[in-house]
Amino acid sequence: MIRSVITGCGSYLPSRIMKNADFEGMIDTNDEWIAQRTGIRERRIAAEGETTADLGEKAARAAMAAAGVTVDDLDMIILATSTPNNTFPATAVEIQNRLGMHHGAAFDSQAVCSGFIFALTTADQYIRTGFAKRILVIGAETFSRILDWTDRTTCVLFGDGAGAVIIEAMEGRGDSSDRGILTAHLRSDGAHKDKLYVDGGPSTTGTVGHLRMEGREVFRHAVGMITDVIEAAYAATGLTSADLDWFVPHQANRRIIDASAKKLDIAPEKVVVTVDRHGNTSAASIPLALCEAVADGRIKTGDLVMLEAMGGGFTWGSILLRW
Ligand code: ACO
């Protein structure tokens, strides 16, 4: 059975750090409120002129170096983003061109904060059907560009960054001892589309728009939706929370992460947390967290890793993989 194995990952964060205290004076908020309600202490903000393609390219180069591959080895690039450089072409082709890749296919995938889960699941399908052998999957965002910096209920929550992985086809036995993606589960329900959205777009206002969110409503649905797709992964594989080595959730809010882990009986020491330093980087948050835990030696070959996300749409999903 063909499995999609992650053979390298890399990430990139803009150099400018914005701390909670930096909002004081701009909006009516304070470090204590933000830290207590969200767990966020600081986030990175892209420099003027630094784009999603810039962040994504740097993460992609790092992932390719980690995997020991060049563009000649790649069949495809999938970029998860909700903050593309332009309405079109896809920012993935911009990155493809910068990497000097002129073969294969590159396209963007858009599922907001679940974007990386959707993009990696899509890549897994191409690999398992034999359509592609090696794919670069990137999550890159510059959410700072779509925030309303006068709205204290949203602008304190998000940050910029990028993470990327190389996945490639490897032969497995077909059981849960295989390396690679063991199971993936995607969901969406547009009935919730107005709870988290951007109030502009090419076909409506002709503008880019700003992020709008009913935070309490998102929070109310988050834990149930996350639990739903993680339990689906357990049902598909026969594995349980006790088998997990690492839980790498989308990093939106520390309270959502802790409540999900508690409900699913995942021990706190197995949870990878970056939200305190990155804020919510949407489609970039999972590969950023994953790469950090790989780089510092926590995640090792053979470890069982659960990825999950929930975001605008709503969209939500999980991927259970063996590193
Ligand atoms: N500083 C100070 N006070 C604030 C701030 C702020 N930054 N933001 C809101 N408040 C105030 C509100 O105005 C409200 O005041 P009021 O009672 O006078 O009206 C009070 O704090 C409480 O507001 P709530 O919204 O009830 O606060 P809550 O505890 O729910 O926390 C939060 C808000 C952090 C947004 C939370 O609801 C949350 O994390 N929701 C989920 C958000 C999320 O995960 N979004 C990302 C999803 S992924 C994606 O697709 C992008």
Side-chain angles (χ1 to χ4, degrees):
M1 178 178 195
I2 299 174
R3 295 286 194 187
S4 310
V5 177
I6 298 181
T7 54
C9 73
S11 62
Y12 179 77
L13 288 162
S15 57
R16 183 181 155 211
I17 296 174
M18 185 171 186
K19 294 189 174 295
N20 290 347
D22 297 334
F23 285 99
E24 293 169 20
M26 273 171 65
I27 48 171
D28 182 13
T29 192
N30 55 70
D31 175 44
E32 197 193 349
W33 191 97
I34 301 169
Q36 264 184 13
R37 302 283 180 126
T38 71
I40 300 167
R41 298 201 169 272
E42 60 186 45
R43 72 286 293 141
R44 301 297 181 106
I45 304 293
E48 203 181 327
E50 190 175 37
T51 66
T52 294
D54 294 325
L55 308 187
E57 179 193 353
K58 289 193 169 97
R61 288 188 187 279
M64 287 164 61
V69 299
T70 70
V71 287
D72 296 337
D73 303 313
L74 299 179
D75 300 319
M76 191 180 280
I77 300 174
I78 307 178
L79 169 68
T81 190
S82 299
T83 46
N85 277 30
N86 298 90
T87 302
F88 76 80
T91 301
V93 302
E94 170 76 35
I95 294 174
Q96 179 193 24
N97 187 46
R98 290 181 188 198
L99 294 176
M101 177 176 164
H102 303 289
H103 63 272
F107 61 93
D108 289 358
S109 161
Q110 212 270 53
V112 205
C113 294
S114 309
F116 187 76
I117 297 286
F118 275 59
L120 190 57
T121 301
T122 304
D124 179 44
Q125 299 302 311
Y126 284 122
I127 298 251
R128 282 155 55 107
T129 55
F131 191 92
K133 291 249 176 303
R134 199 175 284 107
I135 304 180
L136 166 62
V137 182
I138 311 167
E141 302 278 18
T142 46
F143 258 53
S144 62
R145 304 272 153 72
I146 56 164
L147 296 175
D148 174 352
W149 288 94
T150 65
D151 176 9
R152 69 176 182 173
T153 69
T154 53
C155 73
V156 300
L157 302 174
F158 296 89
D160 301 334
V165 300
I166 303 290
I167 65 164
E168 57 185 88
M170 282 190 196
E171 203 58 48
R173 281 182 294 266
D175 61 34
S176 62
S177 69
D178 285 346
R179 288 190 67 201
I181 294 175
L182 301 176
T183 191
H185 301 267
L186 302 182
R187 311 257 195 274
S188 61
D189 185 354
H192 301 288
K193 67 183 173 50
D194 297 332
K195 296 187 178 97
L196 177 49
Y197 66 103
V198 168
D199 63 3
S203 184
T204 49
T205 57
T207 64
V208 172
H210 292 110
L211 183 147
R212 306 292 174 203
M213 177 170 72
E214 294 176 34
R216 221 176 294 183
E217 276 296 296
V218 178
F219 202 114
R220 200 166 67 78
H221 286 88
V223 177
M225 289 177 162
I226 291 163
T227 308
D228 157 43
V229 281
I230 290 180
E231 287 179 343
Y234 292 156
T237 57
L239 297 165
T240 70
S241 291
D243 300 306
L244 289 188
D245 293 295
W246 299 104
F247 179 46
V248 186
H250 168 53
Q251 311 279 321
N253 183 315
R254 182 71 204 242
R255 285 155 60 210
I256 296 175
I257 294 172
D258 291 347
S260 308
K262 192 164 176 226
K263 189 164 178 202
L264 288 153
D265 240 343
I266 299 171
E269 59 272 17
K270 294 181 178 177
V271 184
V272 177
V273 178
T274 54
V275 70
D276 52 328
R277 288 158 292 124
H278 301 171
N280 180 349
T281 57
S282 189
S285 94
I286 292 174
L288 273 164
L290 191 64
C291 291
E292 185 172 287
V294 170
D296 67 21
R298 274 178 287 173
I299 298 179
K300 294 183 280 299
T301 303
D303 282 355
L304 190 66
V305 183
M306 177 69 80
L307 315 179
E308 64 78 6
M310 181 262 184
F314 291 147
T315 53
W316 63 109
S318 69
I319 293 177
L320 182 59
L321 61 89
R322 194 171 295 285
W323 194 259

